[in-house]
Amino acid sequence: MNGRWAAAIVSVILLGTACGKNEDLSPGGYVGAELSSPKPKPEFVLTSMHGGPYDFRRETDGYLTLLFFGYTHCPDVCPVQMANLAAVLDQLPSDVSNHVRVVFVTTDPARDSAQRLRQWLGNFDPSFVGLTGTREELSRVQVEAGVLPAVPDTAGDSASGHDYQVGHAAQVLAYTPDNRERVMYPAGTRQQDWAHDIPLLVQVQ
Amino acid sequence: MLSVSWWCSATGEAWTWHWRAYPGVWLFVVGMVAAYARLAWPRRRQPAERPSARSYGLGAAGLVLIWILLDWPVGTLGSGYLMAVHAAQFLAFSFLVPPLLFGGISPDRWARLEARAGRRAAFRVATHPLITGVAFNLIAIVTHVPSVVDGLMSAQLGAFAIDLAWIFGGIAFWWPVLAPVPARAGGGLVKIGYLFVASMVHSGLGMWLLLSRFPAYATYELAPPIGGRSIMADQAMAGGVMELFGGLIVLGAIAIVFFRWAREEETDTVPVRTEPPPTVATIGGGVSSTPD
């Protein structure tokens, strides 16, 4: 009883220090970086982690689509972005989370097989979609999405050639249900930021 | 490749089990050992001041624990990767290290400190339970404010400041309970009340972490993950560590203080003399024993 009472006091004190956090909202009211002019959703077809072709535009039409380019051996940004998205979607009401699609496009096709993508993304949320393709296809898709194409950093790595990192765009691109990219979420986006923005983005028609 | 920093802090680098060197930690620990040995185990002393093996053991355990908490891997994990380890560090600095350090000081050294500083007004004020209780809780709250943690833990100097604040906050918290200097009125009940009240904020911090809907600290939320850890599971474990182990330690301390106090009370009430007193004469309304 005393612990709960103390927790309430501590919460008030600690959360009080977080006041003013939302003063940095974009003109549209988002925590993420809002684009000055929305961009159209790119159209591409890649190979799904389940084996078949995946028409990005058609499969995600009408959903809030969160597109991320990364790789499963990534030690930092990729697992954090995926883990935070999964945690927030798990907390949001189903009438919101059911209108969200998370699409992960690999930037490391040599190591990210379909099975590897299924296994890795399944650790976060089985509903996340993993896509792969040839290096050329993936580079083209990244350019179409407006991010810098990923570059494998193989210099000075192990002799096996399997222990390298990939330099890639760290932001999540958010396409609203009207198929337009409106907001970007850089590395460092927190769960509370997602929880604030996703319900707003889902409603954009 | 050997990684060298002077103090453990949140670097944002992926975690590896490769050893990292922290020369600042080593210097700090060496300084602590020197200062503590000078205070608790002076080389020039009277035979009666010789510390017991128990004193050496407790003091050395406290110093070794400080070293373990600050250096790789515990210090590294706690400063930038796992909130549960960070919470365990806070708990150990606050509730384990000070009793061990106090336990290493012999009664004669306390007596000497009493003679030197015990009667000084500033010393008496600084070690008053009201002051130490407020200081400990203030330190506990400020060093858990998310913006403070996220702001300080990414810099080595900031992480050093938090570690230092915890060590001194813990010493302040335990001073009125374990240090016999300065001599104060009030026995076990006062100490029990102090332990209970002064540790409530710590308990509140644990509950706050347990009940939070989102990760409290960006430092740990955005840290490169270790294994398959989920940040909310880590945070819940941090809250659990604070709540469960902190509560157990404080409850254990309360029990020890209570039983010691009860024993002393019992000793005080046992009649020393069972034979009838010698002849008592009343002189001028007063009472005095007449010599044999």
Side-chain angles (χ1 to χ4, degrees):
Chain A
M1 190 66 184
N2 282 327
R4 282 185 179 275
W5 195 75
I9 295 172
V10 170
S11 298
V12 168
I13 295 169
L14 296 184
L15 294 179
T17 63
C19 287
K21 177 176 78 66
N22 286 342
E23 287 169 5
D24 296 332
L25 296 180
S26 71
Y30 306 113
V31 180
E34 188 174 1
L35 275 60
S36 52
S37 56
K39 295 198 301 191
K41 186 186 271 183
E43 295 190 38
F44 59 83
V45 178
L46 287 172
T47 305
S48 154
M49 63 184 185
H50 299 294
Y54 188 92
D55 186 329
F56 176 70
R57 175 77 183 240
R58 191 166 57 82
E59 296 279 356
T60 61
D61 186 35
Y63 291 95
L64 166 63
T65 307
L66 304 173
L67 177 64
F68 184 69
F69 296 93
Y71 66 113
T72 65
H73 288 77
C74 176
D76 37 42
V77 175
C78 307
V80 171
Q81 289 272 39
M82 291 298 107
N84 281 349
L85 275 172
V88 168
L89 289 174
D90 192 43
Q91 284 200 35
L92 289 172
S94 56
D95 61 333
V96 174
S97 59
N98 286 343
H99 289 88
V100 181
R101 291 284 180 270
V102 176
V103 178
F104 179 92
V105 177
T106 183
T107 56
D108 184 19
R111 288 183 295 183
D112 287 346
S113 63
Q115 186 192 355
R116 166 91 188 168
L117 283 170
R118 267 199 316 274
Q119 186 185 18
W120 189 77
L121 288 170
N123 290 332
F124 303 107
D125 187 328
S127 75
F128 288 3
V129 176
L131 302 180
T132 186
T134 64
R135 195 169 290 284
E136 293 71 30
E137 285 172 332
L138 295 171
S139 291
R140 183 174 49 77
V141 166
Q142 288 169 77
V143 171
E144 283 177 21
V147 302
L148 287 173
V151 181
D153 177 17
T154 50
D157 286 309
S158 71
S160 70
H162 287 284
D163 187 19
Y164 58 88
Q165 297 198 7
V166 179
H168 64 92
Q171 69 269 38
V172 174
L173 311 177
Y175 298 92
T176 45
D178 60 352
N179 292 323
R180 301 182 78 79
E181 181 191 353
R182 294 184 184 274
V183 192
M184 281 197 309
Y185 294 89
T189 300
R190 302 190 60 188
Q191 289 185 21
Q192 56 197 20
D193 302 334
W194 285 117
H196 176 271
D197 281 11
I198 287 176
L200 298 176
L201 291 167
V202 162
Q203 291 172 4
V204 176
Q205 296 296 334
Chain B
M1 194 173 69
L2 177 63
S3 169
V4 181
S5 308
W6 77 271
W7 202 265
C8 301
S9 63
T11 60
E13 293 171 13
W15 169 259
T16 67
W17 282 102
H18 293 295
W19 176 70
R20 300 183 201 179
Y22 296 103
V25 169
W26 305 337
L27 278 176
F28 179 78
V29 172
V30 167
M32 283 286 290
V33 169
Y36 183 77
R38 189 178 159 83
L39 173 78
W41 311 320
R43 295 182 70 181
R44 279 188 293 178
R45 59 188 171 232
Q46 303 299 318
E49 286 184 324
R50 188 183 294 267
S52 64
R54 184 173 177 274
S55 293
Y56 277 127
L58 289 173
L63 293 168
V64 169
L65 188 54
I66 289 176
W67 179 35
I68 290 172
L69 292 169
L70 294 178
D71 208 344
W72 186 92
V74 177
T76 318
L77 284 168
S79 61
Y81 297 93
L82 294 174
M83 203 190 304
V85 175
H86 188 68
Q89 284 178 299
F90 168 72
L91 206 65
F93 278 133
S94 301
F95 294 149
L96 290 180
V97 167
L100 290 171
L101 294 181
F102 281 126
I105 300 174
S106 68
D108 298 295
R109 295 303 297 174
W110 283 121
R112 183 161 291 196
L113 186 63
E114 170 72 38
R116 282 183 185 170
R119 291 178 191 86
R120 289 185 192 158
F123 184 78
R124 292 188 70 84
V125 169
T127 56
H128 191 279
L130 195 65
I131 301 294
T132 56
V134 169
F136 171 70
N137 283 306
L138 210 58
I139 286 171
I141 288 177
V142 169
T143 57
H144 285 86
V145 170
S147 56
V148 172
V149 173
D150 292 334
L152 292 183
M153 291 307 287
S154 56
Q156 295 179 63
L157 196 61
F160 170 73
I162 287 184
D163 290 334
L164 209 61
W166 285 355
I167 291 172
F168 285 106
I171 289 172
F173 174 74
W174 287 100
W175 193 282
V177 180
L178 297 176
V181 177
R184 289 186 196 282
L189 276 184
V190 174
K191 288 180 180 178
I192 288 169
Y194 168 81
L195 280 170
F196 182 75
V197 173
S199 63
M200 274 179 66
V201 164
H202 144 266
S203 172
L205 285 168
M207 289 295 280
W208 172 68
L209 288 175
L210 278 171
L211 301 176
S212 289
R213 192 174 160 222
F214 295 113
Y217 306 109
T219 300
Y220 301 101
E221 181 183 355
L222 304 175
I226 297 179
R229 70 123 175 129
S230 120
I231 174 62
M232 290 311 287
D234 182 31
Q235 180 161 304
M237 192 176 286
V241 163
M242 300 259 284
E243 196 65 21
L244 183 66
F245 292 105
L248 282 176
I249 292 170
V250 172
L251 276 179
I254 286 176
I256 290 169
V257 170
F258 174 77
F259 285 117
R260 279 189 182 165
W261 170 71
R263 204 167 50 218
E264 284 166 12
E265 288 288 303
E266 205 174 67
T267 310
D268 288 347
T269 53
V270 170
V272 178
R273 214 187 281 261
T274 52
E275 296 170 7
T279 314
V280 174
T282 304
I283 303 169
V287 178
S288 70
S289 300
T290 54
D292 293 334

